[in-house]
Amino acid sequence: MQDSLSQELLSLLSEESITTLFQPIVNIGEQQVFGYEALSRGPSDSSLHAANILFETAERCGLTLELETLCFRTAARNWSGQGSPQKLFLNISPAKLMPGQFDATQLDELLRLNGLQASDIVIELSERYPTADPLELLKTLAWLRARGFLIAIDDLGSGYSGLKLWSELKPDFVKIDRHFIRDIQDDLVKREFLRSVVDLASRLGCSLIAEGVETEAELNVVSGMGIELAQGFLFGRPKAITTASLDVLGVSPEGRVDLPNRETASDLCHYIEPIRSDATLQEAWERLQNEPGTFALPVVDTRCPLGLVHKWPLLETSSTPYGRALYEKRAVSQMLSSDALVVEYDTPLEEVSQRLIDDDEHYLKQHFIITRRGAYIGLGSTRSLLKRITERKIEKAWYANPLTLLPGNGPIQLSEAASAGNKRAKAREGFLHRAAMAVDTGAARVSPYSAGTRLA
């Protein structure tokens, strides 16, 4: 059987009978395809059709580099025929980038023949295949980066050298192995691992890609943790053409977003790393001390938001005599505002405003939680909401008289002052600025020690 596979491999290399399939990588927040990973397969009627058997046979026969060269060349040719503007992710083993194997001239020629730019390509290096000479690998990667190529680490978590490789290569992308994504909504350990990786990526300025996303539940957790890029059967299986299913993100088959053409809660969404309900008040206090721009922490278990811990009540409690000693070991659930307003990301701003007003006749909450299909994705601030709505109303008033609905002073004056150049535009800009300042002044009256603003 082994001899038979070896003969099939030699025949495959000679006839260049490799098929390239493309699997989409999507940007969750932007609801569009970010790129495609090129995956190589042997002939459909061959014992080498499956990728694992194909590459295991090549490694056993000492023909891995020859096979990779063929896969790279075939993928570039097929990609150029697709006419896709997205990024192309190509898997390359570190050995292929070592001196004596890496041929810069051959690479330049490959790009030229297929009409590709270096910036179109993301080089994926798997941590499954360690390199014997990291310094030489870094030299090659530095050359590739200088030419415009992007670098990704594949399969983070599948081996033992992932963090070391990450620190040495400083990649543009890190792909999280599908093991940590599968059923993550039911696995606390996986969520903790992912939360740590998200924090590290944020500090290092690196984008994460969640591999193996197959269910909406997995997508909700991944999205809720702030990971923007995802890949998996939920968006499409590998195919010979570049295609993706974005229905789960709210995008129609024609590529249009199935949302009203108006501003929604998602326009005000700001991601704040959530805290678990079993975390201590000490942890929350340290977070709020170290993040000056954060005034509330969302409390989230799995993907479900439970409420908010507000900054000022917590700091006020901690500043009292023996306050920290008495409370710091207690769970944040003891200071949880469980009555926080929760809205879906596609809720119109007018509806969010009305719900805030109707929610309590005495207090106007400063923050509200935004979800996608019930999973936490970020916070919105009432101050930003008020400013946005006020600006829109002022804009409408500028163009129409609110009593007669006839053209307002804005269009009339603009017409009369057409020859005056920028004067009218500057006046309008000053008008909007003064109105925005009025909103800011009103917001400044909020008591720093309350979770909301008392209504008159």
Side-chain angles (χ1 to χ4, degrees):
M1 180 62 179
Q2 296 296 334
D3 290 339
S4 172
L5 290 177
S6 301
Q7 291 301 316
E8 280 195 63
L9 178 62
L10 291 172
S11 176
L12 179 151
L13 293 172
S14 174
E15 298 172 4
E16 299 193 353
S17 52
I18 280 289
T19 298
T20 302
L21 304 178
F22 299 100
Q23 185 172 32
I25 298 170
V26 304
N27 186 305
I28 301 170
E30 296 182 3
Q31 300 180 319
Q32 63 185 14
V33 177
F34 177 79
Y36 289 86
E37 180 180 359
L39 302 167
S40 298
R41 301 288 187 269
S44 58
D45 58 350
S46 166
S47 302
L48 298 176
H49 174 68
N52 60 329
I53 298 177
L54 175 63
F55 283 91
E56 285 172 5
T57 302
E59 185 175 2
R60 181 176 57 81
C61 297
L63 295 172
T64 299
L65 297 178
E66 288 80 359
L67 176 60
E68 282 196 359
T69 300
L70 174 58
C71 292
F72 196 109
R73 187 166 64 246
T74 305
R77 183 171 62 248
N78 290 334
W79 178 255
S80 64
Q82 301 285 338
S84 176
Q86 285 89 14
K87 302 293 184 186
L88 173 63
F89 287 69
L90 291 173
N91 292 279
I92 298 180
S93 66
K96 182 67 178 173
L97 302 178
M98 289 293 102
Q101 297 297 333
F102 178 69
D103 189 333
T105 303
Q106 186 182 69
L107 180 59
D108 285 338
E109 183 69 6
L110 183 66
L111 295 179
R112 186 187 65 80
L113 288 175
N114 293 285
L116 301 177
Q117 301 294 322
S119 57
D120 298 332
I121 310 296
V122 181
I123 303 295
E124 285 194 32
L125 296 173
S126 175
E127 70 160 284
R128 297 176 189 269
Y129 305 103
T131 177
D133 196 338
L135 291 179
E136 290 296 335
L137 175 61
L138 291 175
K139 289 180 183 178
T140 303
L141 292 178
W143 183 89
L144 289 169
R145 276 206 174 93
R147 295 297 303 276
F149 289 90
L150 298 173
I151 307 299
I153 293 178
D154 194 13
D155 306 316
L156 180 77
S158 64
Y160 301 97
S161 59
L163 295 180
K164 181 175 184 291
L165 194 64
W166 192 343
S167 66
E168 291 175 343
L169 302 188
K170 299 178 176 61
D172 303 285
F173 304 94
V174 170
K175 301 183 78 172
I176 303 168
D177 188 72
R178 68 189 67 189
H179 166 78
F180 293 95
I181 305 301
R182 187 180 299 116
D183 298 325
I184 189 172
Q185 72 279 1
D186 300 319
D187 194 317
L188 177 61
V189 174
K190 290 181 179 180
R191 293 197 300 276
E192 286 303 311
F193 171 84
L194 198 58
R195 187 173 286 110
S196 299
V197 173
V198 168
D199 182 61
L200 182 59
S202 175
R203 295 173 187 274
L204 298 179
C206 171
S207 296
L208 295 176
I209 302 175
E211 290 189 291
V213 177
E214 298 185 1
T215 67
E216 286 194 46
E218 293 167 351
L219 173 64
N220 287 336
V221 176
V222 166
S223 175
M225 288 188 173
I227 297 177
E228 295 184 348
L229 302 175
Q231 177 179 0
F233 291 167
L234 188 62
F235 311 107
R237 293 177 178 270
K239 295 182 180 179
I241 59 173
T242 53
T243 182
S245 173
L246 303 181
D247 295 354
V248 70
L249 299 180
V251 180
S252 67
E254 293 78 18
R256 298 188 302 270
V257 178
D258 293 330
L259 297 174
N261 186 23
R262 54 184 171 176
E263 290 182 297
T264 63
S266 62
D267 294 306
L268 301 179
C269 186
H270 178 63
Y271 182 78
I272 300 294
E273 177 70 25
I275 192 167
R276 303 182 314 278
S277 62
D278 59 353
T280 64
L281 289 171
Q282 169 71 11
E283 293 177 62
W285 184 85
E286 290 176 352
R287 279 275 310 274
L288 292 168
Q289 284 284 85
N290 296 328
E291 300 173 18
T294 300
F295 296 96
L297 292 177
V299 180
V300 177
D301 278 348
T302 311
R303 62 187 186 278
C304 180
L306 304 179
L308 296 172
V309 172
H310 295 280
K311 181 174 186 175
W312 301 115
L314 177 57
L315 295 187
E316 184 179 31
T317 299
S318 301
S319 64
T320 59
Y322 310 110
R324 287 189 62 183
L326 289 172
Y327 288 95
E328 64 181 8
K329 298 301 182 183
R330 299 186 183 184
V332 295
S333 56
Q334 297 208 4
M335 290 197 70
L336 177 69
S337 295
S338 56
D339 61 344
L341 178 65
V342 179
V343 299
E344 274 288 293
Y345 73 107
D346 56 354
T347 305
L349 293 189
E350 294 83 356
E351 183 180 333
V352 177
S353 176
Q354 190 61 49
R355 288 181 60 184
L356 279 167
I357 294 172
D358 294 343
D359 202 44
D360 194 308
E361 63 177 303
H362 299 296
Y363 290 95
L364 185 64
K365 295 180 172 66
Q366 292 189 51
H367 298 88
F368 51 93
I369 298 171
I370 303 174
T371 60
R372 179 186 282 114
R373 299 179 189 86
Y376 167 79
I377 62 171
L379 294 184
S381 76
T382 302
R383 177 178 178 275
S384 297
L385 173 65
L386 292 175
K387 286 188 68 174
R388 188 71 64 92
I389 290 178
T390 301
E391 288 171 359
R392 285 172 54 183
K393 288 185 176 180
I394 293 170
E395 190 83 17
K396 289 180 181 179
W398 179 264
Y399 287 102
N401 187 302
L403 296 177
T404 66
L405 298 181
L406 294 173
N409 291 337
I412 294 173
Q413 293 174 15
L414 284 172
S415 176
E416 293 175 346
S419 62
N422 295 328
K423 290 184 179 179
R424 187 70 264 158
K426 289 181 178 179
R428 175 173 172 272
E429 185 177 316
F431 183 44
L432 289 172
H433 177 72
R434 289 192 298 275
M437 289 293 291
V439 174
D440 282 344
T441 303
R445 298 193 185 104
V446 177
S447 168
Y449 295 101
S450 69
T453 305
R454 181 172 291 277
L455 299 176

